[in-house]
Structures are given as C-alpha cells and as structure tokens.
C-alpha cells in the first residue's frame, strides 16, 4: 500500500493528544451533569430511575450515558464527578480513533502500479484536526453530559456503514453485519434526536443489502433481519419507558418543547457556532482536500459514494433537526455531533508523494487550525439565549475547574447553609434566600422537605435523596413540562408554574399560601411572570386545586405517582400517546375551565 504503520500511529495520535489535553485543561462539570448523578444515586439506593422518590419522571435525556456512569460507579466506587471526567476523555479519544479507522477504510487508495514504485501514501488527519482544534469541543469533552458518547456512536456508525457498503461486505460474516445494525440502532438511546441519523445510516445499509441479495425474497429477508437487530434495544426500552413513566419521550423533551419549530432561534444558534470559528472555511477546505486526494479508492467509487452520502446526509439531517427545534442555550453543544459527522469522511485523507494538488486546501486547513486553537467563544450574557455556559459556571462558582459538587455549592457554605442535614432531623425548614438562592417550602409536619429551584443539578445532588425538588422549569416535573408554551425565551427554560399552582400541589388541602413564600428559585423564569396579585392568590389557589383534579391532569399525575401495578403499567402504555400531546394553560382559571367544564 506504500504507507507505514508508524506514520498512521502519528496521524492518529496527534488529534487524540490535542483533544485529550484540551479537554483536560478545560475540565468541568455542568450543573445539568449533576441531574444524571442524582438519578444514579436514586437507582443505587433502590428507588428506581427517578429524580424524586415516589414520582416516576424520566429526567435524563440520554439513556446509555447515565447507565454507563452508574455501572462504573457501582463497580469502582469512584466519585461520579471524576467518573464523568474520565469517561468523557476516554470516550472522545476513542471516537477520534474509530473515526480515523473508518476514514482510512473509506479512502484507502488502490495499490500503486508497479511502474510507480516510489509513491508512498501519507495519511493526514485533516478532518480530525479541524474537530479537535475547536475550544468548544474541549468544553464538552467533559461537562458530565453525553457529548463524548454521541461522538463515539457517530464514529462507530460511520465505520460500520463503511464496512457494510464496502466490496468485502458480501463475504463478511452475517452475524457481524447484524451486530453492526444493532450498534447503529442504539442512536436513540444515546439521545432521542439521534434516531434521525440512525435511520439514515440504516437506510444506506439496507439499500446495500438489498442490492446484493440477488432476489427480491432474499432482499426482504436480509433487510428484515437487519431491522430486527437495529430495533430490538430501542423498541424494548420504548415499551419500558411508556409503561414505567407513562410518556412517549423523556420528560425533558416536553419541558423544552423539542417538537415545536423555532427556526429563527435555530438559525441564530447555528450562526453563533459557525460565525465564532469561521467553520465554513475548514468545511470547504476539507471537502476539496478529499476530492483531490481520494483518486481511486480500493473499495470502488460506487461504494465510496454510498458511504459518504449516507454520512453527510445523516449529519445534515441532524443539524437541520437541531436548527428547527431552536438549538440550545449552551454555545455549540447540540450541533457538535452533526459537525463531527460532517467531518468524518475527511478524518484521514491519503496524500501520495509527488502529488501537490492537495497542498493548497491542506495549507488552508493548517492556518485555520492555528486560528481556532486560540479562539474563544464570546461568552454572551444569560439573557442572550446562547452563551458560553462553562465560562458562566466558572464566574459563578469562582473556581477555574468546577468539578465537584462542593465547588458548585461553595456559595451556600458562605451563607452558613448546610445542605447535608436538610430533611434528616427536625421539622422541614425554609430558606428565604430570594431569587439568588434556594427556597425550602414550609410543609405540614410529617411531609418531606421540598426545595424549590430552577437549577436542578448540583443543589439537588447534594441534598438527601428523600428531599423533594420542586423543579420550576419542568425538566424533572411532568406537570410543569406539560404547560402550554406561552412565549419564547431562553431555550429550554420557558415554562414555569405560578406559585398558586405549587401551593395547590405541595401544601395540604385547605392550607393557604403563606404570604411570604417565594418560589423564585435559583434561575428566574424566562417566560410570563409567575407572580399573582395578593387579592387573587386565594382564588387562583382554589382554581389550581380544582384543575389538578380534572381531565388529563389527573391521568398525568396518576401515571407518574400511582403504585406500579400491572394495571397501572397497562394504562400507561395505552395512555402515553394521549399525554404526549396534552398541554394545559398556565392560568389556573383558564385551566380549570378547559379541564373541568
């Protein structure tokens, strides 16, 4: 082939070293990462995959990421914060290695003719260097979120499609092809939005299988078995989700209204990422480099095109899905998997000696990499709807590498608040800290303490597991999540219940709302005001209590809090579709009229 293993090891090792060093230097855990950790603690304590005891809510968007961390934590006993850091670094490094392997298999040239014995092939990690040079990638190598697992899944799916569509696939073991389909089918369990790129990859694999089957009957059988292999795990989990949680999708999807189109914010989100780093430059240069260097792929031009079209199509479809939903408030995070996928065919490009045509685009890539490595995101303010959340966390914690929960909650220690004792001894307490601190709602004796907050990561993770967390923004609360969206604001943080709703839910029947009770929480609501005029409080609380006992709100609460009997599971399975579209008005009087009349 004309290339040496040593040169390939260097080509692979450089981007791996860059992303591991960059990720380690910017190591941190986001507040959202602690959401996964609290669920893991609840599971290991025997309470099931829940956020609050006695309320079945799927608050983790990824299924496999907390499962991975939970198993490793149970086996090793290592703190979850450090496990997330280690798994993020290892998962990202492995994603780069697998992506490089798939790109080499894709772009491997035909053997040199005997008439040109001196033409060596050098592998350059062009696309890989583009990806690992981005500081925003370093931010999410750690963070406690599932980005590394998303990249690893993309790399594995790409390598599998390259293998299945290659010329050696017909002679490969059938079991290997089915295992590959099963791995690609795990996409929705990494993140629900990865179902779309998984479908694109599987379509390419099915088309190739059908073309090689010989007869229509054989094609149907082969594609059928591939569909069974790909759909077994996600289908089984979907049945479990519907029966256990009573929902079609994770609760976070409803809270963020991920199914609604918000194109204007989505294009803004895309422009923020592309514009900050000038990404159009390396994307064009990488495409030109591939076009000029991949002369005669050994796998054949047709199978090469199939694999590239599938990979680029999956990435573009996923990016468009994220844009349609409005993106996210964290700079770049949700678009990084699609960017990774776009670059995969260029992760390893072959350059043969005495071929200088590719030097120009490769030089452009080198200059861009030098620019990107030193480029920082703009760090927009909170109300700008897209901002650098790592920098925001560092500024608010006063720690350069905020990893442990103690780093995130040092501000509570300064106020003399010990979260470790809350709910264990004595009556429930109330912290009237105002909009910059948590509030513990005063409940009746014998009921658990309840912390009202809009940031449900570090603080709830530090609390005893029996303390109920009243999530104002709905990620961990099915009632808030099914509010009717009244306006757009900070993506994913646009829903909040009025305090009269919380009083009707948290206080015993007939107990009036304390006039000084503040449910402002850590993060102020970005939707319509949750406050009510004092004269309206009693009427609103009565309307809210009545609405909670009517219509779909009754079934929604029963689906998540009733004992999990076989009958309840059956009702959840049947009712999940209806609850999927259910929304109720934020105004208690309107909700009462809609649900009870």
């Amino acid at each position: 082939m004309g290339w040496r293993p040593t040169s390939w090891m260097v080509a692979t090792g450089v981007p791996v070293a860059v992303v591991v060093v960059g990720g380690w230097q910017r190591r941190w855990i986001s507040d959202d990462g602690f959401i996964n950790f609290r669920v893991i603690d609840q599971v290991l304590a025997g309470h099931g995959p829940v956020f609050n005891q006695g309320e079945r809510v799927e608050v983790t968007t990824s299924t496999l990421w907390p499962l991975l961390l939970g198993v490793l934590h149970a086996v090793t006993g290592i703190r979850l914060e450090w496990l997330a850091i280690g798994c993020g670094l290892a998962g990202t490094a492995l994603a780069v290695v697998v992506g490089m392997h798939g790109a080499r298999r894709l772009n491997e040239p035909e053997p040199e003719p005997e008439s040109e014995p001196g033409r060596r092939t050098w592998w350059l990690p062009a696309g890989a260097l583009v990806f690992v040079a981005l500081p925003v990638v370093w931010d999410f190598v750690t963070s406690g979120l599932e980005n590394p697992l998303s990249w690893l899944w993309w790399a594995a799916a790409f390598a599998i499609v390259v293998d299945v569509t290659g010329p050696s696939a017909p002679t490969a073991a059938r079991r290997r092809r089915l295992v590959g389909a099963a791995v690609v089918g795990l996409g929705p369990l990494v993140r629900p939005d990865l179902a779309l790129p998984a479908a694109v990859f599987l379509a390419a694999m099915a088309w190739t299988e059908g073309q090689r089957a010989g007869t229509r009957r054989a094609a149907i059988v082969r594609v059928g078995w591939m569909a069974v292999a790909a759909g077994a795990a996600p289908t089984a989990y979907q049945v479990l989700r519907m029966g256990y949680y009573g929902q079609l999708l994770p609760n976070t999807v409803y809270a963020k209204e991920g199914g609604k189109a918000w194109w204007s914010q989505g294009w803004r989100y895309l422009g923020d990422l592309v514009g900050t780093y000038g990404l159009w430059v390396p994307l064009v240069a990488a495409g030109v480099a591939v076009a000029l260097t991949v002369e005669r792929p050994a796998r054949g031009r047709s199978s090469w095109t199939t694999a590239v079209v599938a990979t680029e199509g999956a990435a573009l479809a996923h990016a468009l899905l994220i844009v349609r939903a409005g993106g996210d408030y964290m700079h770049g995070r949700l678009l990084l998997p699609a960017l990774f996928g776009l670059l995969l065919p260029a992760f390893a490009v072959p350059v043969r000696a005495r071929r200088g045509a590719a030097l120009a685009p490769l030089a452009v890539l080198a200059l861009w990499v030098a620019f990107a490595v030193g480029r920082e995101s703009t760090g927009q303010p909170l109300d700008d709807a897209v901002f650098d959340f790592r920098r925001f966390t560092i500024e608010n914690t006063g720690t350069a590498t905020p990893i442990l929960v103690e780093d995130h909650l040092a501000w509570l220690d300064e106020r003399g608040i010990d979260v470790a004792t809350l709910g264990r001894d004595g009556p429930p307490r109330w912290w009237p800290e105002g909009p910059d601190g948590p509030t513990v709602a005063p409940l009746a004796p014998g009921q658990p303490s309840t912390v009202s907050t809009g940031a449900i990561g570090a603080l709830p993770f530090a609390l005893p597991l029996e303390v109920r967390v009243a999530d104002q923004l709905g990620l961990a609360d099915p009632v808030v999540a099914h509010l009717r969206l009244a306006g757009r604001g900070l993506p994913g943080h646009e829903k909040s219940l009025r305090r009269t709703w919380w009083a009707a839910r948290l206080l015993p029947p007939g107990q009036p709302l304390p006039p000084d009770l503040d449910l402002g929480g850590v993060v102020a609501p970005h939707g319509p005001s949750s406050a009510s005029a004092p004269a309206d409080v009693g009427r609103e609380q009565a309307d809210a209590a009545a609405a909670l006992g009517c219509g779909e709100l009754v079934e929604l609460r029963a689906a998540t809090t009733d004992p999990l009997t076989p009958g309840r599971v059956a009702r959840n399975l049947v009712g999940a579709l209806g609850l999927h579209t259910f929304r109720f008005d934020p105004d208690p009087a309107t909700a009462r009229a809609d649900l009870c009349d």
Side-chain angles (χ1 to χ4, degrees), residues 130-153:
V130 169
F131 186 75
V132 303
L134 290 168
V136 67
V137 171
W138 304 345
D139 286 353
F140 292 104
V141 166
T142 56
S143 85
L145 301 173
E146 74 287 337
N147 280 78
L149 188 60
S150 296
W151 302 331
L152 180 56
W153 175 83

Side-chain angles (χ1 to χ4, degrees), residues 55-433:
E55 188 175 49
R56 298 181 297 275
V57 180
E58 189 178 11
V59 68
T60 55
T61 302
S62 173
T63 301
L64 293 181
W65 177 246
L67 177 63
L68 171 66
L69 295 180
V71 169
L72 291 176
H73 179 60
V75 171
T76 66
I78 299 174
R79 284 189 65 153
L80 284 165
E81 297 98 313
W82 284 113
L83 269 179
I85 297 290
C87 287
L89 291 167
T92 304
L94 187 57
V96 173
V97 171
V98 174
M100 290 281 293
H101 170 75
R104 191 189 78 185
R105 290 286 303 275
L106 174 72
N107 297 325
E108 196 167 39
E110 290 182 345
E112 298 86 345
E114 294 182 3
S115 59
E116 302 180 22
R119 296 186 66 195
R120 289 183 178 177
T121 299
W122 303 92
W123 289 95
L124 298 181
L129 283 177
V130 169
F131 186 75
V132 303
L134 290 168
V136 67
V137 171
W138 304 345
D139 286 353
F140 292 104
V141 166
T142 56
S143 85
L145 301 173
E146 74 287 337
N147 280 78
L149 188 60
S150 296
W151 302 331
L152 180 56
W153 175 83
W154 273 92
F158 167 66
I160 289 166
V161 168
V162 168
D163 180 62
V164 169
T165 60
S168 62
T171 59
R174 177 185 173 217
R175 178 177 298 178
R176 191 175 82 184
R177 299 200 300 273
L178 293 179
V179 169
V183 172
V184 175
L186 293 177
L189 300 183
V190 177
R191 276 189 62 92
D193 47 84
L194 293 183
L196 180 57
V200 176
F201 282 127
L202 289 168
M205 295 168 65
W207 183 85
T208 303
E209 283 286 284
Q211 291 291 106
R212 292 169 173 166
T215 67
R216 184 175 181 181
R217 178 183 177 85
I220 293 175
V221 171
R222 286 191 181 188
V223 173
W225 278 112
M226 183 172 287
V228 170
T235 299
Y237 183 75
Q238 183 63 27
V239 173
L240 174 63
R241 168 187 284 147
M242 293 168 64
Y244 187 78
Y245 297 109
Q247 307 248 46
L248 284 180
L249 296 171
N251 195 66
T252 53
V253 177
Y254 300 106
K256 298 181 178 183
E257 290 294 1
K260 286 186 176 294
W262 192 9
W263 289 103
S264 60
Q265 177 61 24
W267 291 120
R268 180 184 181 186
Y269 187 65
L270 177 64
D272 177 72
L273 177 64
V274 174
T276 298
Y277 306 101
L279 281 177
W280 61 271
V281 175
L283 288 174
V284 171
V288 173
V290 169
L292 293 177
T293 56
V294 181
E295 309 169 31
R296 293 170 296 177
R299 58 188 285 112
R301 180 61 62 178
S302 176
S303 62
W304 183 90
T305 302
T306 300
V308 170
V309 169
T311 304
E312 299 300 288
L316 291 173
H318 186 255
L320 191 63
L321 179 67
I322 298 301
V323 168
R324 179 188 181 275
D328 187 38
Y329 68 95
M330 295 190 196
H331 166 70
R333 183 174 96 84
L334 293 188
L335 287 170
L336 292 179
L339 177 63
F340 184 85
L342 279 174
L343 291 167
L344 274 171
F347 257 46
V349 297
V351 179
R352 283 180 169 175
R354 298 197 302 274
R355 183 172 178 84
L359 292 181
L362 292 174
V364 171
L365 283 175
L367 290 174
W368 180 88
V369 166
F371 156 79
V373 166
R375 179 71 171 164
E376 289 285 350
S377 56
T378 54
Q380 307 288 352
L382 179 62
D383 60 357
D384 202 46
V386 182
F387 62 100
D388 184 338
F389 194 61
R390 175 179 169 273
R391 182 180 299 178
F392 175 79
T393 302
I394 289 172
E395 292 173 352
N396 280 272
T397 60
T399 304
T401 54
I403 295 174
L404 301 179
V405 68
E406 292 86 353
D407 300 330
H408 288 254
L409 298 182
W411 58 279
L412 288 177
D413 293 334
E414 294 174 359
R415 300 182 183 189
I417 298 174
D418 182 9
V419 298
T421 61
L422 176 65
R424 297 186 186 277
D425 303 305
R429 284 168 286 175
W430 173 29
W431 300 332
E433 292 295 319

Side-chain angles (χ1 to χ4, degrees), residues 496-549:
S496 62
L497 280 180
R498 299 185 183 185
R499 61 195 187 115
T500 46
W501 281 105
W502 284 114
R505 295 179 64 195
L506 300 179
L507 302 177
Q511 181 172 327
L513 178 70
D516 56 349
L517 177 58
D518 176 18
L519 291 173
V522 177
V523 177
H526 286 257
S529 173
S530 61
S532 302
D536 297 332
V537 168
R539 177 182 56 80
E540 280 199 0
Q541 186 173 344
D543 287 337
L548 288 169

